[in-house]
Amino acid sequence: MSDNWNYSQINSNLFLITLDQKIEGFREFISSWLYHHESITFLVDPGPKSSIERLKKVLEIIGVNKLDYILLTHVHIDHAGGTGKLLKYFPEAKVSCHPKGVKHLINPAELWKSSLKVLGKIAEAYEEFIPVPEHNIFFQEVIKKEEHVIEAIETPGHAPHHISYLFNQYLFAGEVAGVQQTLPNRIYLRPATPPKFKLETSLSSLEKVIAKNPKVICYGHYGINKEASKFLLLSQKQLTLWTEVIKEALAKGEENLEKIVFERLLKEDKLFSNFHYLKEDIKKRERYFINNSIKGIKEYLKEKLVKASG
């Protein structure tokens, strides 16, 4: 097996496919989820275009020769960038996408330009989108195939077009519940709150999925957690804490705000404080995305202040 892709069989039908990238620290970071059954096969988030050849090899090893559905939690490049290329191997697959994201799949030029602006060299490493044929794309709140039912739940917050998928006991969560890393005897958790973030929207989305009482969370970043209700609630508390900490820091001025907030959260957020136990290359990756999450919350709070004063 190559040193930059692998997979884990969770049970007889569910597989976690790890899409490691040729970027420092971008390992055990992107999850693609496969459910493979004789009467239904679907893939959640195929990842960026850079991963598709390796993903296809994993699917061959597992014995997948047909995909019924490709379920996109959102159209960001690290989740959906490879969809068009994957369809060249599985042209019959139907692509589930929120209606707000469809235009970006059909004509990804604007999304590619935005990805380059925000992510720079990371976007270049992920590689440019390939358009998705419109006839492959659909959206249904309930997807049924024989005895199988997949529920598509609109969960805006990380992105306005974000969807989580509930299938049996599994919640394919994308980034509605943030980013996790499983470590020996501990879990690292942080919010995924890039601009434009709205606290009320994110909390409401978490309420929606909590009400469904899933047993297992399948994260977009990264892996699986079998205490779904507990960690969805912890994600809510974490969002509220981060917002309070950033609000207090912002009241004192923006100079060194990211550094001040980061150091305070390491002391006050028990799950986030497990950052200390991450490998050095993963810490470097996380610092980039942590700053982006802080920025999203900061901009939300500043916008709220402007509205209050206006």
Side-chain angles (χ1 to χ4, degrees), residues 60-188:
E60 286 174 358
I61 291 166
I62 294 170
V64 174
N65 51 35
K66 181 186 176 185
L67 281 177
D68 295 301
Y69 304 107
I70 298 169
L71 309 178
L72 302 180
T73 60
H74 55 303
V75 301
H76 289 172
I77 191 169
D78 53 333
H79 293 257
T83 306
K85 185 170 182 178
L86 185 62
L87 283 170
K88 294 184 182 301
Y89 297 113
F90 299 97
E92 76 289 344
K94 293 298 182 184
V95 179
S96 172
C97 173
H98 191 286
K100 289 181 180 178
V102 171
K103 66 178 182 180
H104 295 297
L105 291 181
I106 297 169
N107 181 5
E110 187 181 326
L111 189 57
W112 172 238
K113 191 183 295 183
S114 173
S115 299
L116 284 172
K117 183 179 177 181
V118 174
L119 297 172
K121 290 189 180 299
I122 296 172
E124 290 175 7
Y126 284 152
E127 299 180 10
E128 189 171 354
F129 296 81
I130 292 176
V132 173
E134 189 171 359
H135 68 262
N136 284 91
I137 305 169
F138 79 107
F139 176 71
Q140 293 173 0
E141 290 185 356
V142 178
I143 302 165
K144 292 182 179 179
K145 188 172 190 297
E146 298 187 21
E147 74 274 23
H148 304 287
V149 178
I150 305 167
E151 186 177 354
I153 307 162
E154 294 188 52
T155 48
H158 175 74
H161 59 277
H162 194 286
I163 297 172
S164 302
Y165 295 94
L166 186 68
F167 178 75
N168 297 338
Q169 62 182 321
Y170 303 107
L171 178 70
F172 297 98
E175 291 179 71
V176 70
V179 169
Q180 81 145 22
Q181 191 94 32
T182 302
L183 300 160
N185 304 313
R186 66 190 83 239
I187 288 174
Y188 165 77

Side-chain angles (χ1 to χ4, degrees), residues 199-232:
L199 177 64
E200 298 81 4
T201 303
S202 292
L203 292 176
S204 174
S205 291
L206 281 164
E207 282 294 339
K208 275 189 192 177
V209 290
I210 288 167
K212 299 292 181 180
N213 195 31
K215 300 294 183 288
V216 178
I217 306 176
C218 299
Y219 287 89
H221 306 284
Y222 164 83
I224 195 164
N225 189 305
K226 295 180 180 179
E227 296 181 279
S229 295
K230 174 183 174 181
F231 276 84
L232 289 168

